[in-house]
Every structure is written in structure tokens, then in C-alpha cells.
Amino acid sequence: MSGDTAIATVCLSGTLEDKLAAAAAAGFGGVEIFENDLIASRRSPSEIRRLCADLGLRIDLYQPFRDFEAVPPDVLRANLRRARRKFDLMAELGADTVLVCSSVSPDAVDDDDLAASQLHELAEVAGERGIRVAYEALAWGRFVNTYEHAWRIVRRADHAALGVCLDSFHILSRRSDPRAIRTIPGEKIFFLQLADAPLLDMDVLHWSRHHRLFPGQGAFDLATFTGHVLAAGYRGPLSLEVFNDVFRQADPRPAAVDAMRSLVALRESVGTLEIPPAPRLGGHAFAELSVPGTVLEALGFVRAATHRSKPVQLWQQGSARVLVNETTRDGAVSALGLVSADPAGSARRAETLLAPERGPSSVAAPDGTEIVFCGNDEWLRDFVPSGAAPSGVGITGIDHIALTQPFDHFDEATLFYRSVLGLRPEEVSEFAAPFGLVRSRAVGDQDVRLTLDSALVRRGEWAPGVPSPQHVAFACEDALAVARALRGRGAPLLDIPGNYYDDLDARFDLPFAAELRENSVLYDRDSSGEFLHFCTELIGARVFFEVVQRIGGYRGYGVVNTPVYMTAHRERRLSLAR
Amino acid sequence: MSGDTAIATVCLSGTLEDKLAAAAAAGFGGVEIFENDLIASRRSPSEIRRLCADLGLRIDLYQPFRDFEAVPPDVLRANLRRARRKFDLMAELGADTVLVCSSVSPDAVDDDDLAASQLHELAEVAGERGIRVAYEALAWGRFVNTYEHAWRIVRRADHAALGVCLDSFHILSRRSDPRAIRTIPGEKIFFLQLADAPLLDMDVLHWSRHHRLFPGQGAFDLATFTGHVLAAGYRGPLSLEVFNDVFRQADPRPAAVDAMRSLVALRESVGTLEIPPAPRLGGHAFAELSVPGTVLEALGFVRAATHRSKPVQLWQQGSARVLVNETTRDGAVSALGLVSADPAGSARRAETLLAPERGPSSVAAPDGTEIVFCGNDEWLRDFVPSGAAPSGVGITGIDHIALTQPFDHFDEATLFYRSVLGLRPEEVSEFAAPFGLVRSRAVGDQDVRLTLDSALVRRGEWAPGVPSPQHVAFACEDALAVARALRGRGAPLLDIPGNYYDDLDARFDLPFAAELRENSVLYDRDSSGEFLHFCTELIGARVFFEVVQRIGGYRGYGVVNTPVYMTAHRERRLSLAR
């Protein structure tokens, strides 16, 4: 049943019943039932068995049994008594595999022979009841903390009802080489648990309990890892076991969909599932939002066309196109059009990856933004040209779109854009915004760039500007000239404080320093280039525009300057409120 | 000016102006201005100087200057140019001390003589302008990362305008012995930055940037540390520099008060400030909340008295007293009475520690709960006895009160109860509640116990039961008998699922297992005793009652069982909602 999927109930929020319903709705084939979820449930094990059957869910694993092996005889007796009770429960539940974690108990001793013989005894009790024992090395196990060690003990115990459980987090967090997995006979790998994680330099137990992620959201190479397990001959489900502070309190229904998306993408990358490939994206076709036309006019755009059937205006400058749709939600970016080499193929891939459909070739991103896949220009046929002569002050196209993410959707968004659109996530950076820390990550390829910013903690009532504004960044070839021209046209450009330029003067000796200051243009540089950019004031509460100039090979987004314009936006909002 | 206080603007949320206003309102004498806060401000340095003067704030430090020392000559030239600009700015600002952090730059080399001579050169430039350079070893400095090393370099540089800045986090996080601080001449300690922190096993930079706390909220021994610095002869301000994810997004006004409270308590413990000592607390006088009298009646309480002037009923059983005040907020615990050996003294101490006054001997805790200091029984004179005969089913008093804390107030609450009431904080534990992780910490002494639970992340809309219910836990000597009696009286006791007792049977071989199950009584044990407890259903949305029996020296609160009754409460609420 390779290719089958499962999810541990610990991944999701809610009661056991909430979790099972969410897992089934997202299309999982099975679940690992976490003991504490069952204990708190009012349904008996046989009622849970029936509920799962009704939902079309297998119970692939009951977990965990802790601190069993390598103990003195009296402790062993108590542990076997406990095990028999749990095996009775599993029979009622209809679960045939139990997870036994390597011991962290002070009762345990460092004796592989003793561990093997006691696990043999446990397997004997389990085997009589048709139950399999999957022994797993916790990364923080007292004596057994590598999969190779767990496998040596299982091999030594030599019992048909005893095998290993492999967990990608426990293995990859220790930087263990997963290649030796191929030396374990596939039929002795009783279970496979998958979790990704960011690379964090901290106590592995804390890392594991708080920061696991679904595959594709973190830094582990799970395709290679899973490839080794499959190459060994493992035929059980790919099962997710992800402890994450945020997912644990989020609505379990979208979280389960996010989880399933991670497995579809993983199965694609290990070659056990064929899904429509991501067609090449050729750039930003448009950004749709709701702003007054006068603002776009002041920015040098012309009203180039009107939609044939919807109250939508197309404004254009160079190849930058903005759709103004006054019916959209709260002024934020409601939709973005991406040029696809095969719009129908993009939509098919998105559907396979569980993106909610919004139209014939459009889907919803996790934060609700509509992603529209456009052929080169044929979407323009829905518009009646206004006949207005093209004009402009030097904006040439869309450089990137900044989609502020709700607190809970940051990791989900990364996986969405990576898997559905085939964009490459950059490193996560953090910066101190005036009202709290912000995580920032760009996803992109050569022609499409998005930035995903999110508050590090969910904001309370004090923090102003919640939710944070999004913005559309236009490209140009001479930011200073464009800024001058736009000021001349009365565009609502944001004034940057003089203190910023005093600091710039202290850090750099720029020939155009005075011009930057005069035009409120911000500056950044990296090892391969320079970046000039400036912003408008907030247009309404949720959106503003930026104009950027990339010089040389600069690849960033001027994040160092973000707190400066965030503060200026805040002040401007306050002065409007007065 | 020992005893003077200051706070770094990085501790607080908002614009520079928000931060300065909050610091001044909380009574700080000075501030450290963080460069990025100034850069983002629209006020010029001289305008900030005037604003601070108007607010009665000194500018004690401008910070930080990074990556200055031990570099090649061309880098030194650029760094000196940058320094001169910053010194000009400081002159405008009226700040006479600059923080220079030990270098993390790839340009730096491991050469103490070079570092010393370049710092000498910097001090020469600074000294001419009346500015002092305070050199600080970052815990993650590339070559200089201990205070002893920074001091060796400063000594070698031998310039009157060069001294050290000591930061408790950088020193204590590395487990450096702070005793050698006494060997530094006091006049060469130019500045002292204070931060507490929980003991976390993680990369020190991440720990520092996200998890610092105000003194008294974490695990560092700041009294001893500060004692060494004062013994060395330091006479500058005690200044807080706390980077904390939660404080950085919280309302800066209460955060600044919390910060000031931490310094008042610290100055008390190092003996530089005398404040009224915490009188001994003799137990819980009462809990005030709003519940129907019928519930208390079913729990065996009698209506013993009525307040002479307020719509408040006193219900009593044994020494457990509950005030029912139907005018209080949303059904939660609105006030708790604590027996104090000196109520007026308790109130004076609370006032000195900036607790908002609520009455002649009552103050508000950070979450708004009123804390009333009571003499032994004289507060009862405000009540007219009903003449009802004392009765009861075995409840003897109040064991503890569980005050669920809002997400942002957990650390503040710890400091409040520790400093204002003199209660001892226990270790923080974490448990997985059905809707997300919860941090839990008890504060108490022999006779007064409170538990403070708080969600680990601020909950979103999905999470039900936000805010989480509080509860009053009554003591008894025979939980099983009391449970039986209360069931007989029709008290709304919470039913616990059978799965819980199946697990209990698997873990323990208890002679009274069947009785626990029959009466929905929960069980826990630790190394010194046992704990039996049971709950009522939720009474309204925000509160329930618990009855507990402590056997032997059990010191906990049955936290292991909390997720079980939280789930049962959630189900009960759902079934009521249907």
C-alpha cells in the first residue's frame, strides 16, 4: 500500500472527533491515534473504531508506549501488565501496530541484550494477539537514540512481531546519515513517520515538541530520506507526525488539507505519484485590488480597458497591469494573475494539490488571495480597450507582490507557493517592525516574485495596523527619475525622515545621497548589487504601492528599510485619524 | 546616581514617541535609545532631546555601534567616519555614552592589541567631544565574548573615555562567573544593562533576541549579579535591555510598568531601596465571582451572610468562603481575598510595586483580578449573618485558585505575584490541551496557592473556550466521599470518560480504582504523595469549581489530568450550544 497516507492525531487541534473528521475530509487513508486523544474521548475504543470505519479511515498505529525496555524484573512485570491492557484496547480499536519509543526512564539500563530480550517478550505477548510492535529511537532516548541502534536491538530480539518505526525528525535532527536505512529489510520497517523542521540550534526535545513542520515547509531533505525507506522495501503508509505550536491551535480542517498537500508533493518528488507538472510561469499578468483610479493616474497609469461584464477597470503602464475591482474585500490584493505557459495545466496541478478552485483557471491561496493562471495575453480579450494612448513615467512592470500572511498561514503559504506554483522559497529572515517581530520570506523564480510577511506572534489589540498592509511593487530603471516625475504629478508618495538619510550618510558615501534624501528614496545593497525603492502612502487601510530599481545582481527586497516605512505609514494613519 | 533606572527603547513596542511616553509614565529616569528607533522617527535628534527633557527622561545611552574594532586600516577609516557622524548625532541628542558591541564582523581579526589600539583611537575621537565609549562583549562576539576579555582590552587601551558595558544576559547566559566583576574599578564600568531569561538550551543569539525577560521573571540570579556590579563601585543607572517577542508587540504602557516593577523589586533585593516588606499571608479569605446560588447550594455551601451595602452574598462551607457578586465581569473570578498579617502593609507594598489601587486595601493584578488584603476576620463585619446553620459535605477550605492568564500577561503575572505578594513561583510546565499548548505555573507559599495558566500562542478564532475558564479549587479530606455526597445533592459534576479509567488501570493497580471511575474522580501521584480531584461542569462560560484531596506530601495540581477535563468541558459546552 505504498503511497497510502496517514496522519497522527497530535498534528491537529481539537477533540479526537474533530481531528478524525478533519483527517477524513482531507482524504487521508489512515490515522495514528495518540493515546491522550483517546483517553480524553467519551467514545469507547470500539465506538472510535466504528467512527473511523464510517469516515473511511484505517487506524494504522496506536501511540505511544513509553519506557518499556531494559528495566529490572519488577518494572518489567508492571510494564507487561500495562502492555496487555493496551493490547486489549487496541483489539477493541482495531489497531494492529503499536509504537514503542526508546526509553528515557531512570529505571532503564544501558544493556542492549536486556533490551532485546525484553522487547522479544513484549513481541511474544503482542504477536499472540496479532499485534506488531514498532520500536523507535527517540533522538533524546536515554541509551538508544539512533535508528541504527534501534535496528540492532530489533535484529538481536529476532521476533516476527517486532520491527522498527522510522521517524524522519529523530533521524535528520541528529544529522544521522539515512543511507543505512537501505540495509534494513523492508518488512522489518513496520512504520514510517514523516516530519520536516527548520534548522534550529536548540535542544532537540524542544525543537521536536514545538517546531516540527509538514514536509516541504522546512529544511530537511525528505525526498531523499523517503527514497531510502522505499528503496529498503517499506510498503506501509507515509504518515505525518508533526508537533507544532501553531498547527496545534489552528482550525484542524485547513491544517489537514495543508498536511495532505505536503504528502502529495512529497510523493511526487519521490516518484510514487504522478501529478501534472508545474508549467513555467512567465511573469505577473496583473494585480487586482480596490484603489481609487486617481491614485493610479497620479502614478502614471492610464485606464487602458474595461471588463466586458464585470465592474473591473484595467490600468496599465509599461507591462504593469493593475485591475481595479471595487467589489473586492477590504482593499487588499484580492487576486494576482500569473502568466503560465499552460494555464489549464497550472490549474490541474493546483487542483491535485488541493487548492480550492475559484474559477476555470483560478484557485485560492491559503490566505484567500485568488491566483489566476493567464495565457500570454488572451485574458485581455475579456476587456474592451479604452483607446487611451499608452503613457507612463518609467514604471516598466511588476517586480513583486507582497502578500502579508495571517499569523497561522506562514508555513502553509510557503508550501502552497512551492508545491502548487513551483516557486522556490528563500531563507526566512526576521526583522523588528515597530509593533513586533516579523518573519519574511520570498518565494519566486526568474519572472515571478512574491514576498510573504507574517507577525511572529499573533497580535493583540494594542498593535495598530492589524492586519498589516500588502503592497504591489512596480519595477523601473531609474527610481530617482520616477520619484521626481511622480512627485510632479502629485502622487501620494511617502516622506521618509531625515534621520534615515543621516544614517545612510554615516554608513555609505553615496554620490547620489542628496537625491535619495530629496526624493524620499530608500537604499540597500548586497554583495552583488544595489536597490533603490520608494513607497506611496497607504491607500486605504490595507494596501500601498512601491517602486523599485534593481542595479546589478541585487536579489533582495530592501527588508532592512521596511521598519522605516512601516513607522511612517503608522504616523500617517494616526494623523489621518486625528 | 545608583538606584536610578533606565530602559532601552528596544524593550517596548511602538514608535519612538510611544516608547518614550510609556517609559516616562512608568517613572523611569532615563532611556537607552536604540538606533533603529531613532532612524525611523520623523523627529530630529534635537527634537527628541527636547521631547525627552519635557518627559523628564535622561538619554543615558545611544546604542549600538557595531563591528568597530580589530579591523584592517581601510575598514577602520570607514568605521571612524561612521563614528564621527554618530558622535555628531549624539551631541544633538544630548547623549554622552555610546555602546560599542564586540565585533561579529568577518573583517575583524583575533588581535587584542589591535582591538585595544583601535578602541583607543575611537575613545580619543569620542573624548574630544565629551562622549564615553562603553565596550560590551556580546555572548556571540567573534573573538571577544566574555566580560573579562572585554575588560582586558579596555585596560590595555587605557583611555579615560573608554570603559566597559556589562550586560547580565551576555554574562549569565554563558554561565560566566560574575564575581570577577568586583575586580573592575567602578569608574570603568560605564554602563549596566539588565535582563533576566528562562534557562533554555538553544543558540545564545536566538535565546537573547527572543526570550529575554525583565528581572524576576526568569531564572538568572540578578540580585547577586547586580550586587557584584554595585560592590565594584558602579554608580550609573540600572538599565533594562530586554528583547522579547511578546513584550515587543504588547501595549508599551503596561509593559513599561511591569519593567519598572522588576527594577523596584531588584533594588529591594540588592538593598539599595527600602520598601514595605511583604506581610505573611495566612490563606485564602474568599473568592468572589458570579455564579447562581443554586450551584453553591448543591455543592454543600450555605448562604451565611449578605453584604451591608453591596449586592454581594457570602456562601460558606468549612473555611471556604465564596462571595457571589452578580455585578462582576463575565462570570470569571473577579476578586480574591487573601488573609494578610498586615493588610495595610500589604497594600503599601503593592502600591510601591506599582499595582493599581482598587480600594483601601485592594489592588488589581495584571489580568484585572482584584486582590483584597484581609485581616483575619474583620472584613466579615461588612456582612450581616443570615443565621443559617453551618452545614457542609466535607469541603474544608480553598486549596488554590486557578487564574487563567491572557497570552501576554504570563511573565508579568509571575513577577507581580512574586514581588507584590511574596509568593514563590514554581517551575513552568507545559501541557497539550485539546486546542493548543498551555504553559502552567503555580505561585504560592504554605497557605496561599495560585495557578497561572496561559496559552503558549495567542489563540485565533477556531480555538473554542477563549478565554479559558478559571476555577476555584476547594480542599477536602476525602474526595470520594465528597463526590458521592455532591452527586446525591444533584451538584453539576463533570463526567469523566471511561477511557481515562482504563488508562489509569493500565498504569496503576489502585485499590479504589472502581470508586474513582464511579465518581468521576481524577487521580495523580508524585514521589511524595497522591492527589484525588474532581470538577463541576462549566458554570457559565468562564468558571468552574474543583474539589481536591492531597494525600501525603503531594505538591502538584494534577496538571496531567487537565486536558481530560478540558475536553469534557468543551463537549459539554458544545452540547449546550446545540
Side-chain angles (χ1 to χ4, degrees), chain B residues 271-282:
Chain B
T272 59
L273 183 70
E274 204 167 322
I275 68 172
R280 182 168 147 53
L281 297 177

Side-chain angles (χ1 to χ4, degrees), chain A residues 354-518:
Chain A
L354 306 169
E357 195 178 315
R358 280 282 182 279
S361 53
S362 86
V363 296
D367 68 350
T369 306
E370 186 177 350
I371 311 290
V372 184
F373 302 109
C374 304
N376 243 332
D377 277 335
E378 98 285 348
W379 63 279
L380 288 168
R381 286 185 218 132
D382 291 340
F383 288 82
V384 185
S386 68
S391 134
V393 295
I395 285 173
T396 56
I398 291 177
D399 181 86
H400 67 277
I401 297 179
L403 296 171
T404 315
Q405 296 298 303
F407 166 74
D408 321 60
H409 289 292
F410 187 81
D411 296 305
E412 186 183 351
T414 298
L415 175 61
F416 177 89
Y417 290 107
R418 174 186 208 160
S419 63
V420 173
L421 301 187
L423 301 178
R424 192 172 42 79
E426 314 247 339
E427 291 295 298
V428 175
S429 63
E430 272 177 20
F431 63 88
F435 306 101
L437 295 182
V438 172
R439 285 193 296 181
S440 180
R441 162 175 253 166
V443 294
D445 62 13
Q446 200 177 317
D447 297 309
V448 169
R449 299 186 192 93
L450 304 171
T451 61
L452 310 171
D453 285 4
S454 180
L456 203 67
V457 293
R458 191 196 303 280
R459 299 279 198 258
E461 278 167 25
W462 141 255
V466 177
S468 303
Q470 306 183 325
H471 70 267
V472 178
F474 300 117
C476 77
E477 286 173 8
D478 185 344
L480 287 165
V482 174
R484 267 190 301 267
L486 293 183
R487 284 194 180 269
R489 297 172 68 93
L493 301 192
L494 186 72
D495 282 330
I496 298 299
N499 294 345
Y500 171 80
Y501 296 98
D502 293 344
D503 180 59
L504 215 54
D505 290 345
R507 290 191 293 134
F508 309 113
D509 193 8
L510 299 172
F512 47 85
E515 285 173 276
L516 292 174
R517 185 189 294 257
E518 199 175 310

Side-chain angles (χ1 to χ4, degrees), chain A residues 110-140:
Chain A
D110 186 8
D111 181 339
D112 285 3
D113 286 330
L114 187 64
S117 81
Q118 294 184 347
L119 285 169
H120 184 102
E121 196 166 344
L122 180 69
E124 191 64 28
V125 176
E128 284 166 7
R129 301 164 188 234
I131 286 173
R132 306 189 311 163
V133 172
Y135 182 59
E136 173 184 73
L138 297 178
W140 55 89

Side-chain angles (χ1 to χ4, degrees), chain A residues 31-297:
Chain A
V31 288
E32 306 177 26
I33 290 189
F34 186 57
E35 182 159 75
N36 291 5
D37 285 321
L38 183 73
I39 286 172
S41 172
R42 212 167 277 290
R43 290 178 203 246
S44 69
S46 56
E47 286 168 338
I48 293 295
R49 175 189 203 149
R50 272 198 299 281
L51 177 61
C52 286
D54 289 349
L55 290 167
L57 290 171
R58 299 179 313 270
I59 300 178
D60 286 325
L61 189 78
Y62 187 70
Q63 64 132 318
F65 198 89
R66 296 185 192 278
D67 295 336
F68 177 81
E69 78 284 13
V71 290
D74 59 319
V75 180
L76 178 66
R77 265 194 308 280
N79 288 354
L80 281 169
R81 175 178 174 284
R82 180 161 55 106
R84 282 194 189 90
R85 301 287 184 119
K86 295 299 174 186
F87 294 162
D88 290 349
L89 182 157
M90 287 173 63
E92 256 197 85
L93 203 53
D96 70 355
T97 307
V98 65
L99 177 72
V100 174
C101 299
S102 63
S103 182
V104 299
S105 167
D107 288 332
V109 295
D110 186 8
D111 181 339
D112 285 3
D113 286 330
L114 187 64
S117 81
Q118 294 184 347
L119 285 169
H120 184 102
E121 196 166 344
L122 180 69
E124 191 64 28
V125 176
E128 284 166 7
R129 301 164 188 234
I131 286 173
R132 306 189 311 163
V133 172
Y135 182 59
E136 173 184 73
L138 297 178
W140 55 89
R142 187 148 171 241
F143 302 113
V144 178
N145 44 43
T146 65
Y147 76 92
E148 296 97 326
H149 194 174
W151 165 233
R152 282 200 303 276
I153 290 174
V154 165
R155 201 166 44 188
R156 199 167 303 180
D158 190 24
H159 194 289
L162 182 68
V164 293
C165 171
L166 300 177
D167 178 309
S168 63
F169 182 88
H170 290 301
I171 294 169
L172 299 177
S173 66
R174 295 183 56 100
R175 279 81 170 162
S176 294
D177 184 342
R179 275 177 296 188
I181 290 172
R182 289 173 180 254
T183 66
I184 306 175
E187 69 278 8
K188 295 304 275 185
I189 304 176
F190 281 6
F191 210 71
L192 172 62
Q193 294 178 317
L194 294 169
D196 202 342
L199 293 181
L200 295 172
D201 181 4
M202 61 174 63
D203 165 51
V204 68
L205 175 59
H206 188 89
W207 186 15
S208 173
R209 293 270 168 89
H210 296 275
H211 300 288
R212 289 186 179 208
L213 292 169
F214 294 124
Q217 295 178 338
F220 290 165
D221 179 0
L222 288 178
T224 300
F225 174 86
T226 307
H228 290 314
V229 180
L230 296 179
Y234 174 71
R235 293 293 172 265
L238 306 186
S239 188
L240 297 168
E241 195 200 31
V242 169
F243 306 88
N244 180 289
D245 291 357
V246 173
F247 304 161
R248 272 197 155 166
Q249 59 82 50
D251 186 333
R253 291 159 295 189
V257 170
D258 185 32
M260 179 53 95
R261 179 178 299 132
S262 78
L263 284 187
V264 173
L266 179 65
R267 290 168 63 199
E268 179 192 34
S269 54
V270 296
T272 60
L273 183 69
E274 204 167 321
I275 67 172
R280 183 168 146 52
L281 297 177
H284 292 272
F286 64 81
E288 179 179 291
L289 30 67
S290 163
V291 293
T294 47
V295 171
L296 291 167
E297 209 162 355

Side-chain angles (χ1 to χ4, degrees), chain A residues 12-19 34-36 38-45 48 78 81-83 85-86 89 92 200-204 206 209-211 244-246 248-253 407-408 430-437 456-463 494-500 502-510 563-564 567-571 574, chain B residues 12-19 34-36 38-45 48 78 81-83 85-86 89 92 200-204 206 209-210 244-246 248-253 407-408 430-437 456-463 494-510 563-564 567-571 574:
Chain A
L12 301 171
S13 187
T15 62
L16 181 54
E17 291 79 1
D18 293 329
K19 296 169 184 218
F34 186 57
E35 182 159 75
N36 291 5
L38 183 73
I39 286 172
S41 172
R42 212 167 277 290
R43 290 178 203 246
S44 69
I48 293 295
R81 175 178 174 284
R82 180 161 55 106
R85 301 287 184 119
K86 295 299 174 186
L89 182 157
E92 256 197 85
L200 295 172
D201 181 4
M202 61 174 63
D203 165 51
V204 68
H206 188 89
R209 293 270 168 89
H210 296 275
H211 300 288
N244 180 289
D245 291 357
V246 173
R248 272 197 155 166
Q249 59 82 50
D251 186 333
R253 291 159 295 189
F407 166 74
D408 321 60
E430 272 177 20
F431 63 88
F435 306 101
L437 295 182
L456 203 67
V457 293
R458 191 196 303 280
R459 299 279 198 258
E461 278 167 25
W462 141 255
L494 186 72
D495 282 330
I496 298 299
N499 294 345
Y500 171 80
D502 293 344
D503 180 59
L504 215 54
D505 290 345
R507 290 191 293 134
F508 309 113
D509 193 8
L510 299 172
V564 176
T567 305
H569 278 146
R570 151 85 167 149
E571 284 172 350
L574 278 183
Chain B
L12 301 171
S13 187
T15 61
L16 180 54
E17 291 79 2
D18 292 329
K19 296 170 185 216
F34 186 57
E35 180 161 75
N36 291 4
L38 183 73
I39 286 173
S41 171
R42 211 167 280 289
R43 289 178 203 247
S44 70
I48 292 295
R81 177 179 174 283
R82 180 160 56 106
R85 301 288 183 119
K86 296 299 172 186
L89 182 156
E92 258 197 82
L200 294 172
D201 181 5
M202 61 174 63
D203 165 50
V204 69
H206 188 90
R209 293 269 169 90
H210 296 276
N244 179 289
D245 291 356
V246 172
R248 273 197 154 166
Q249 60 81 51
D251 187 334
R253 290 159 296 189
F407 166 74
D408 321 61
E430 272 177 20
F431 64 88
F435 306 101
L437 295 182
L456 202 66
V457 293
R458 190 195 303 279
R459 300 278 198 257
E461 279 169 24
W462 142 255
L494 186 71
D495 283 329
I496 297 299
N499 295 344
Y500 171 80
Y501 295 98
D502 293 343
D503 180 59
L504 216 53
D505 291 346
R507 290 192 292 135
F508 308 114
D509 193 7
L510 299 172
V564 176
T567 306
H569 278 147
R570 151 85 167 148
E571 284 173 349
L574 276 184

